C-alpha cells in the first residue's frame, strides 16, 4: 500500500530515492563489467524495484494478520490512492520486460510481487501495514500496463522479445505460488470483505462539516488542507480524513491530521503533534506555562476545555495521566460520563505537550444519559463468551478445535468496563474486552484471529462482537457449555 500523502516521511522518501539510484547504478555497472547485455535496463529495473518496495513499506509497524478484500473493483480508479498505486508500478513492468525480453516472466513478476507485498504487510512484524486487495489490484494493473507499454515500444522499434519464452518454468512457478500462497494465506491471515477501502475526494458538505468541527476545536488557528472520505477497514463506517496546516509560512512542511466520523459527525480526532520535538502545530492555550506535573497539565487542559467544549465541565469524572514513560509526549486529560457503572459514549480527551500546548484532541458527542436495561453478565462471563468466540473463529480459519485452556495459554483477556452502545435503535450496556497475546507468545504465530484487539459482549443478551465489531455466531451444545453467548 502506497501512502497517498507522504507527510512527515519526506526524509525516508529521499533516502529511498538515493538508495534506488545507488542500487540501480551498481547493477548497471556490474552487468557492464561482466559483459552482459541490457545492463542499463537491468539497472533501471533494480532502481524501480527498490523504489516500489521502499514506498510500500514506508511507515511499517506491527503486522495485523488481517487483510481487507474490496468487492468494488472499480472504486480504486476514483481515488487518489488508487491512481498512485497504479502509477508507481508502471515503470516496474516497463523495465521488467525490457530487461528480460520474455513477456510471461515479466507478467509473473508484476502479478506476484504486489500480492507478496500485501501478504508481508499482513504477517511480518516490523513490515506490517494495511493489507488491502485494492492496493494489490492497482499495483498489478500498473505493472501489466508497463509490460504492455514496453512490448509496444519494442514492436514499434523492431526490438526482439518473446511472447512464449520461458513458458514452462514460469507457469510452473505460478502454479507453485498459487498452491503455497493459498495455504499460507488461509492459515496466517483473516480476510474481511468490504464494499470499498480507499480514499475518495470529499464532497462540499463533508468539507464544510470538517471546517465547523475544526473551528470549534481551534478557531481559525490552522488552514484546512486536503479532505478525503475513507471507509473504515474491516468495519462498517466512514470517516472524513483531513490535514491541518500551519499559518506560519516559515514551516511549510509542518502539518497535523485528523478524522471526523460521517455522516453522524459525532467523533472528531485531531493529532497536531506526535513527537517530543517542538512544533508550530501545537495549539497555544492563553496564559499557559510549560507543565511539569499532572496537576499543571490538567489546569491547561481544563482551560482549553472551558474555552472550546464547556459542556465537559459536567463530566462525571476526569483523569490526567502521562503519555510516555517519562511524559515525554506530555499528559492526557480524559473527561468521562458514567450512568451508574456504565460508561457513556460522551467523551473528551485533551493532550497537553511539555511545551504547554494542546497536541491532540479526541471528542465524542454521544449522550450523557440513556435508557439502559440492567446488565446480566459480569466481567468473568463476558471473558468466557469471548473465549467461545475465539474458538469459533479458530475453527472457521483452521478447521480444527482449540480448547478454552489452550486459548487462555495464548491470550490475555480483560473485561475492563461496561459501555453504552446503540444497535438497531436501542441502547445496551456492553463489556469491552481487551484480547492480546501473552508476553511469552509475542514472537509465535497466533493460533486464532483477534489478537491485540478489543472485543465487545452485550451484557444483556450475551452477543459477542469481534475486533471488527461484527457479531460472532456461537453454537451452543446440548449442555449449553459454550456459555450461552448467542442464541
Amino acid at each position: 500500500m502506497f501512502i497517498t500523502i507522504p507527510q512527515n516521511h519526506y526524509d525516508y522518501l529521499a533516502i529511498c530515492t538515493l538508495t534506488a539510484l545507488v542500487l540501480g547504478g551498481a547493477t548497471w555497472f556490474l552487468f557492464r563489467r561482466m559483459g552482459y547485455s541490457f545492463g542499463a535496463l537491468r539497472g533501471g529495473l533494480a532502481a524501480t524495484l527498490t523504489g516500489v518496495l521502499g514506498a510500500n513499506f514506508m511507515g511499517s509497524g506491527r503486522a495485523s494478520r488481517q487483510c481487507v478484500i474490496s468487492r468494488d473493483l472499480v472504486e480504486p480508479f476514483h481515488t487518489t490512492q488508487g491512481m498512485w498505486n497504479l502509477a508507481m508500478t508502471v515503470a516496474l513492468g516497463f523495465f521488467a520486460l525490457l530487461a528480460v525480453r520474455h513477456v510471461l516472466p515479466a507478467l509473473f513478476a508484476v502479478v506476484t510481487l504486489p500480492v507478496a507485498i500485501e501478504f508481508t504487510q499482513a504477517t511480518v512484524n516490523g513490515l506490517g501495514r494495511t493489507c488491502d486487495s485494492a492496493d494489490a489490484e492497482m499495483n498489478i494493473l500498473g505493472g501489466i500496463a508497463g509490460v504492455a507499454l514496453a512490448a509496444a515500444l519494442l514492436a514499434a522499434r523492431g526490438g526482439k522479445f518473446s511472447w512464449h519464452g520461458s513458458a514452462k518454468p514460469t507457469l510452473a512457478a505460478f502454479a507453485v505460488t498459487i498452491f503455497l500462497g493459498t495455504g499460507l494465506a488461509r492459515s496466517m491471515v483473516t480476510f474481511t470483505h468490504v464494499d470499498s477501502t480507499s480514499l475518495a475526494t470529499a464532497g462540499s458538505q463533508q468539507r464544510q462539516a470538517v471546517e465547523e468541527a475544526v473551528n470549534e476545536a481551534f478557531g481559525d488557528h490552522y488552514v484546512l488542507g486536503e479532505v478525503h472520505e475513507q471507509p473504515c477497514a474491516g468495519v462498517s463506517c466512514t470517516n472524513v480524513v483531513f490535514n491541518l496546516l500551519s499559518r506560519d509560512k516559515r514551516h511549510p512542511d509542518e502539518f497535523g491530521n485528523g478524522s471526523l466520523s460521517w455522516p453522524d459527525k459525532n467523533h472528531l480526532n485531531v493529532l497536531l503533534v506526535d513527537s517530543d520535538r517542538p512544533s508550530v502545530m501545537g495549539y497555544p492555550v492563553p496564559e499557559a506555562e510549560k507543565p511539569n506535573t499532572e496537576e499543571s497539565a490538567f489546569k491547561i487542559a481544563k482551560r482549553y476545555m472551558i474555552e472550546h467544549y464547556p459542556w465537559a465541565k459536567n463530566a462525571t469524572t476526569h483523569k490526567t495521566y502521562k503519555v510516555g514513560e517519562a511524559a515525554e509526549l506530555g499528559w492526557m486529560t480524559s473527561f468521562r460520563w458514567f450512568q451508574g457503572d456504565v460508561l457513556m459514549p460522551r467523551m473528551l480527551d485533551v493532550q497537553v505537550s511539555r511545551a504547554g500546548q494542546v497536541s491532540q484532541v479526541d471528542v465524542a458527542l454521544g449522550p450523557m444519559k440513556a435508557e439502559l436495561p440492567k446488565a446480566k453478565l459480569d466481567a468473568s462471563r463476558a471473558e468466557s463468551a469471548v473465549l467461545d468466540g475465539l474458538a469459533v473463529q479458530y475453527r472457521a480459519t483452521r478447521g480444527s478445535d482449540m480448547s478454552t485452556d489452550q486459548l487462555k495459554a495464548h491470550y490475555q483477556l480483560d473485561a475492563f468496563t461496561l459501555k453504552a452502545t446503540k444497535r438497531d435503535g436501542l441502547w445496551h450496556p456492553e463489556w469491552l474486552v481487551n484480547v492480546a497475546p501473552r508476553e511469552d507468545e509475542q514472537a509465535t504465530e497466533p493460533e486464532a484471529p483477534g489478537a491485540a484487539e478489543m472485543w465487545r459482549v452485550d451484557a444483556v443478551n450475551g452477543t459477542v462482537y469481534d475486533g471488527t465489531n461484527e457479531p460472532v455466531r456461537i453454537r451452543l451444545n446440548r449442555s449449553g457449555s459454550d456459555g450461552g453467548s448467542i442464541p
Side-chain angles (χ1 to χ4, degrees):
M1 174 183 175
F2 178 73
I3 295 179
T4 304
I5 304 170
Q7 297 180 346
N8 60 331
H9 295 287
Y10 289 119
D11 291 343
Y12 174 90
L13 288 175
I15 294 173
C16 183
T17 301
L18 180 61
T19 303
L21 292 175
V22 170
L23 290 178
T27 301
W28 166 76
F29 179 76
L30 178 62
F31 276 95
R32 183 181 180 184
R33 288 290 302 270
M34 296 176 65
Y36 289 102
S37 58
F38 311 130
L41 296 175
R42 292 175 179 178
L45 177 60
T48 54
L49 178 60
T50 303
V52 168
L53 293 175
N56 273 283
F57 292 112
M58 178 170 55
S60 299
R62 184 174 177 82
S64 65
R65 297 189 178 273
Q66 296 185 352
C67 196
V68 177
I69 307 298
S70 176
R71 300 186 184 96
D72 189 351
L73 299 180
V74 178
E75 178 250 353
F77 290 93
H78 303 292
T79 68
T80 304
Q81 176 177 305
M83 298 312 296
W84 270 116
N85 277 313
L86 186 147
M88 70 184 296
T89 53
V90 171
L92 181 66
F94 181 80
F95 280 110
L97 180 57
L98 292 181
V100 301
R101 299 301 171 104
H102 293 286
V103 174
L104 289 179
L107 288 175
F108 173 76
V110 298
V111 170
T112 56
L113 179 63
V115 176
I117 288 174
E118 296 301 318
F119 180 75
T120 301
Q121 290 173 341
T123 58
V124 180
N125 287 330
L127 297 177
R129 287 277 302 283
T130 302
C131 174
D132 189 341
S133 68
D135 296 334
E137 172 194 344
M138 299 306 282
N139 284 163
I140 290 171
L141 291 177
I144 293 175
V147 172
L149 183 62
L153 179 64
L154 289 172
R157 295 192 173 186
K160 294 182 179 180
F161 68 98
S162 172
W163 289 96
H164 307 292
S166 304
K168 289 184 177 180
T170 301
L171 293 176
F174 191 67
V176 171
T177 301
I178 292 177
F179 177 76
L180 295 179
T182 302
L184 286 173
R186 292 184 61 185
S187 63
M188 299 179 65
V189 180
T190 300
F191 295 97
T192 302
H193 296 266
V194 298
D195 293 326
S196 60
T197 63
S198 301
L199 294 175
T201 302
S204 58
Q205 290 185 335
Q206 292 171 322
R207 188 175 184 90
Q208 181 180 354
V210 171
E211 289 176 344
E212 293 174 354
V214 169
N215 184 67
E216 182 179 17
F218 310 111
D220 62 353
H221 190 75
Y222 302 102
V223 177
L224 181 61
E226 297 188 18
V227 183
H228 294 89
E229 178 182 307
Q230 183 180 46
C232 305
V235 184
S236 179
C237 71
T238 300
N239 286 322
V240 180
V241 296
F242 57 89
N243 293 330
L244 294 180
L245 309 176
S246 171
R247 293 187 182 275
D248 190 339
K249 303 300 183 181
R250 296 171 297 177
H251 301 276
D253 295 334
E254 297 287 343
F255 70 95
N257 55 69
S259 65
L260 178 68
S261 61
W262 186 263
D264 58 49
K265 301 179 286 186
N266 281 343
H267 188 193
L268 172 71
N269 180 274
V270 180
L271 179 61
L272 298 170
V273 183
D274 62 352
S275 72
D276 56 357
R277 296 177 299 175
S279 172
V280 297
M281 290 304 298
Y283 182 73
V285 178
E287 302 179 4
E289 299 180 354
K290 293 182 179 180
N292 51 25
T293 63
E294 293 179 358
E295 182 179 358
S296 57
F298 168 69
K299 290 181 179 179
I300 297 173
K302 182 179 179 181
R303 192 172 300 152
Y304 168 83
M305 174 268 291
I306 292 174
E307 180 67 23
H308 295 271
Y309 300 103
W311 44 260
K313 291 187 291 184
N314 298 322
T316 307
T317 182
H318 64 79
K319 180 181 179 181
T320 302
Y321 53 92
K322 60 185 180 182
V323 182
E325 293 184 1
E328 56 269 22
L329 297 180
W331 295 264
M332 182 75 78
T333 297
S334 298
F335 299 89
R336 295 290 186 270
W337 284 258
F338 281 87
Q339 183 171 314
D341 58 351
V342 180
L343 177 66
M344 300 305 294
R346 179 68 63 112
M347 58 161 278
L348 172 64
D349 286 348
V350 180
Q351 184 174 336
V352 176
S353 69
R354 282 193 165 272
Q357 299 175 323
V358 174
S359 58
Q360 183 174 195
V361 175
D362 196 5
V363 188
L365 300 178
M368 302 177 188
K369 294 182 179 180
E371 293 186 8
L372 293 171
K374 185 178 180 180
K376 298 180 181 179
L377 272 67
D378 59 16
S380 62
R381 290 185 65 189
E383 292 172 0
S384 296
V386 170
L387 283 174
D388 294 336
L390 286 169
V392 168
Q393 288 200 347
Y394 180 86
R395 190 180 305 119
T397 57
R398 300 283 183 128
S400 59
D401 291 327
M402 191 172 190
S403 69
T404 299
D405 289 339
Q406 288 175 313
L407 286 169
K408 286 182 178 179
H410 282 281
Y411 292 96
Q412 176 69 45
L413 275 66
D414 179 24
F416 60 95
T417 193
L418 281 167
K419 184 176 182 179
T421 304
K422 192 174 186 179
R423 299 184 190 272
D424 299 325
L426 299 176
W427 288 96
H428 270 209
E430 292 184 354
W431 281 104
L432 305 185
V433 184
N434 277 333
V435 179
R438 295 186 181 275
E439 293 184 2
D440 56 350
E441 297 292 331
Q442 291 283 347
T444 64
E445 176 185 344
E447 294 294 339
E453 294 178 344
M454 186 179 72
W455 288 42
R456 296 168 177 263
V457 179
D458 192 308
V460 178
N461 60 33
T463 304
V464 178
Y465 300 89
D466 64 15
T468 64
N469 208 23
E470 291 295 324
V472 180
R473 188 167 299 279
I474 300 175
R475 296 180 180 178
L476 298 179
N477 59 27
R478 294 180 180 178
S479 63
S481 62
D482 273 352
S485 301
I486 294 182

